[in-house]
Amino acid sequence: MNRTAVQVSLLDMVMCVSRTTDLISPVVADHQKRVAYLAARLAGAVGLDRQQQRQVFAAGALHDIGALSLSDRLSALDFEVQHTALHSQVGATLLRSYQQLAPIADLVLHHHTYWDNDKDKKAPLGAQLVHLADRIDVLLRHGSDNCLLLQVDSVCQRIKAVAGRMFDPELVEVFLDLAREEALWLDLQPTMIDIVLSRHVNHDNVTLDLEGLLSFAQLIGHVIDFRSRFTATHSEGVAATAEALAEALGYDPEHCREIRVAGYLHDLGKLAVPSNLLEKPGALTPAEYATIRSHTYYTYRSLEVVRGLEQIAGWAAYHHERLDGKGYPFRLTADELGPEARLMAVADIYTAVSEDRPYRRGMERDAVRRVLQKMVLDGALDGNIVECLCDNIARVEEARVTAQRQAVKRYEEFWENVNQNTYIYRNRSISS
Ligand SMILES: [Fe+2]
Ligand SMILES: [Fe+2]
Ligand SMILES: [Fe+2]
């Protein structure tokens, strides 16, 4: 098969994460997209250069990435949300770990910092713009019954009332000037927002090669995994297993790296699932079960629109499909499932049953083998791939265990970092 070298736009990837995290509830639908747009328009109006505008745009699109649970997301919608909001610290700590996005970490860190509380002037202008854009959007009522143009006056009044306290009065003046443009508000409507944003994304001049994409995918893996201490290293384990398995199957090195990318992204759609459902002890209601099962659907829809990721989208998202057509969500059959998707299904199950979780030890090798072989007999998994895994189990296990050990360290360091900076103790340890 002929494959072309991976080239993906950074902003396309940023928007992919932004979109998926906004799927968590209809209440926050498109919120980060609108903030990205408003913040970029404000950045243009204050005269920031193109590069700075791009950063403000990306920070707007990811500003609530650190709100890992649904309640964190919803509490960020209070107009007077505490300015030291924990989710700003979590988001900034996540972004700082990825070189290409490190410059926007400070913008996210200060996106709830009040102007009159920032005596040392720590909040960069970009952060103030995201803050203002964010608060404008939370004041707006969206939906077909609410005309945005009729809300402009009241939004302007509310923002004016907090000038000098929440926001720099000069910035508020810039906003009030911009607010006169009807198109600014009409652009925020559903559908329209996608059209106006695609202009920004299409003009992105930063592209990621395979290694750049790999680090970005690893960051996304952390955002997915760190939401729950029960699965804090799962994506890392699947990524390492999938790559080791691809090597054992004789794939070329580049192909193996692409498989690893798909491993990091396979549960992307879990960002659209409230974390309390992922952690619920006890039986799930039919509705909760349906929500959890929809995660692979969202993985697919979120990734397929990223130019350059069309193939990887399928490899990542079909991991709950089965060769006998009884999997989900597309009910694909053996002739529609390529080798990479089959491999990912094996890597996901192998990792899920072998990894240690806070509430149980992972299965021993023999038990793992029996589980996988039974699934082959049942018509779920590919027999050749399972055989290859069983023949190379020591090698694959080593890759998985090493990757997950490093991931535990990163997870602990991550929360230590966040806690140190916020002085808020949260029991996030995964060793308990
Ligand atoms: Fe926020
Ligand atoms: Fe927000
Ligand atoms: Fe999954």
mmCIF file of all heavy atoms in Angstrom, residues 63-64 76 87-88 111-112 134-135, ligand 1:
data_model
loop_
_atom_site.group_PDB
_atom_site.id
_atom_site.type_symbol
_atom_site.label_atom_id
_atom_site.label_comp_id
_atom_site.label_asym_id
_atom_site.label_seq_id
_atom_site.Cartn_x
_atom_site.Cartn_y
_atom_site.Cartn_z
ATOM 1 N N HIS A 63 -8.858 27.017 25.969
ATOM 2 C CA HIS A 63 -8.724 27.652 27.286
ATOM 3 C C HIS A 63 -9.291 26.813 28.428
ATOM 4 O O HIS A 63 -8.812 26.878 29.548
ATOM 5 C CB HIS A 63 -9.333 29.064 27.291
ATOM 6 C CG HIS A 63 -10.822 29.095 27.223
ATOM 7 N ND1 HIS A 63 -11.515 28.970 26.045
ATOM 8 C CD2 HIS A 63 -11.771 29.237 28.178
ATOM 9 C CE1 HIS A 63 -12.809 29.040 26.283
ATOM 10 N NE2 HIS A 63 -12.996 29.196 27.575
ATOM 11 N N ASP A 64 -10.323 25.995 28.144
ATOM 12 C CA ASP A 64 -10.895 25.190 29.233
ATOM 13 C C ASP A 64 -10.434 23.736 29.193
ATOM 14 O O ASP A 64 -11.067 22.867 29.800
ATOM 15 C CB ASP A 64 -12.436 25.267 29.194
ATOM 16 C CG ASP A 64 -12.947 26.571 29.809
ATOM 17 O OD1 ASP A 64 -12.241 27.149 30.661
ATOM 18 O OD2 ASP A 64 -14.043 27.015 29.429
ATOM 19 N N ALA A 76 -17.171 26.828 35.224
ATOM 20 C CA ALA A 76 -16.450 27.895 34.518
ATOM 21 C C ALA A 76 -17.404 28.817 33.769
ATOM 22 O O ALA A 76 -17.005 29.839 33.227
ATOM 23 C CB ALA A 76 -15.429 27.287 33.555
ATOM 24 N N HIS A 87 -8.867 24.968 36.983
ATOM 25 C CA HIS A 87 -8.748 24.438 35.617
ATOM 26 C C HIS A 87 -7.755 25.238 34.774
ATOM 27 O O HIS A 87 -7.195 24.709 33.815
ATOM 28 C CB HIS A 87 -10.117 24.329 34.937
ATOM 29 C CG HIS A 87 -10.736 25.625 34.543
ATOM 30 N ND1 HIS A 87 -11.534 26.352 35.368
ATOM 31 C CD2 HIS A 87 -10.661 26.328 33.397
ATOM 32 C CE1 HIS A 87 -11.941 27.441 34.745
ATOM 33 N NE2 HIS A 87 -11.410 27.457 33.542
ATOM 34 N N SER A 88 -7.522 26.512 35.131
ATOM 35 C CA SER A 88 -6.527 27.300 34.388
ATOM 36 C C SER A 88 -5.138 26.721 34.625
ATOM 37 O O SER A 88 -4.318 26.609 33.704
ATOM 38 C CB SER A 88 -6.514 28.756 34.865
ATOM 39 O OG SER A 88 -7.818 29.240 34.987
ATOM 40 N N HIS A 111 -6.399 33.017 32.144
ATOM 41 C CA HIS A 111 -7.637 33.398 31.454
ATOM 42 C C HIS A 111 -8.792 33.690 32.403
ATOM 43 O O HIS A 111 -9.880 34.039 31.958
ATOM 44 C CB HIS A 111 -8.019 32.382 30.365
ATOM 45 C CG HIS A 111 -8.765 31.171 30.819
ATOM 46 N ND1 HIS A 111 -8.146 30.026 31.240
ATOM 47 C CD2 HIS A 111 -10.102 30.930 30.928
ATOM 48 C CE1 HIS A 111 -9.057 29.127 31.568
ATOM 49 N NE2 HIS A 111 -10.248 29.648 31.396
ATOM 50 N N HIS A 112 -8.542 33.579 33.737
ATOM 51 C CA HIS A 112 -9.553 34.048 34.701
ATOM 52 C C HIS A 112 -8.958 35.076 35.667
ATOM 53 O O HIS A 112 -9.528 35.326 36.723
ATOM 54 C CB HIS A 112 -10.131 32.878 35.495
ATOM 55 C CG HIS A 112 -11.085 32.038 34.692
ATOM 56 N ND1 HIS A 112 -12.301 32.512 34.253
ATOM 57 C CD2 HIS A 112 -10.989 30.772 34.219
ATOM 58 C CE1 HIS A 112 -12.917 31.565 33.557
ATOM 59 N NE2 HIS A 112 -12.146 30.499 33.520
ATOM 60 N N ASP A 134 -14.001 35.129 26.705
ATOM 61 C CA ASP A 134 -14.674 34.064 27.448
ATOM 62 C C ASP A 134 -15.879 34.607 28.219
ATOM 63 O O ASP A 134 -16.973 34.033 28.197
ATOM 64 C CB ASP A 134 -13.645 33.449 28.419
ATOM 65 C CG ASP A 134 -14.203 32.287 29.208
ATOM 66 O OD1 ASP A 134 -14.834 31.402 28.603
ATOM 67 O OD2 ASP A 134 -14.005 32.260 30.441
ATOM 68 N N ARG A 135 -15.678 35.721 28.892
ATOM 69 C CA ARG A 135 -16.786 36.284 29.684
ATOM 70 C C ARG A 135 -17.890 36.844 28.781
ATOM 71 O O ARG A 135 -19.061 36.807 29.129
ATOM 72 C CB ARG A 135 -16.262 37.371 30.646
ATOM 73 C CG ARG A 135 -15.306 36.867 31.722
ATOM 74 C CD ARG A 135 -15.902 35.813 32.633
ATOM 75 N NE ARG A 135 -15.705 34.455 32.167
ATOM 76 C CZ ARG A 135 -16.211 33.373 32.761
ATOM 77 N NH1 ARG A 135 -16.964 33.475 33.824
ATOM 78 N NH2 ARG A 135 -16.003 32.176 32.271
HETATM 79 FE FE FE B 1 -12.208 28.897 32.002
#
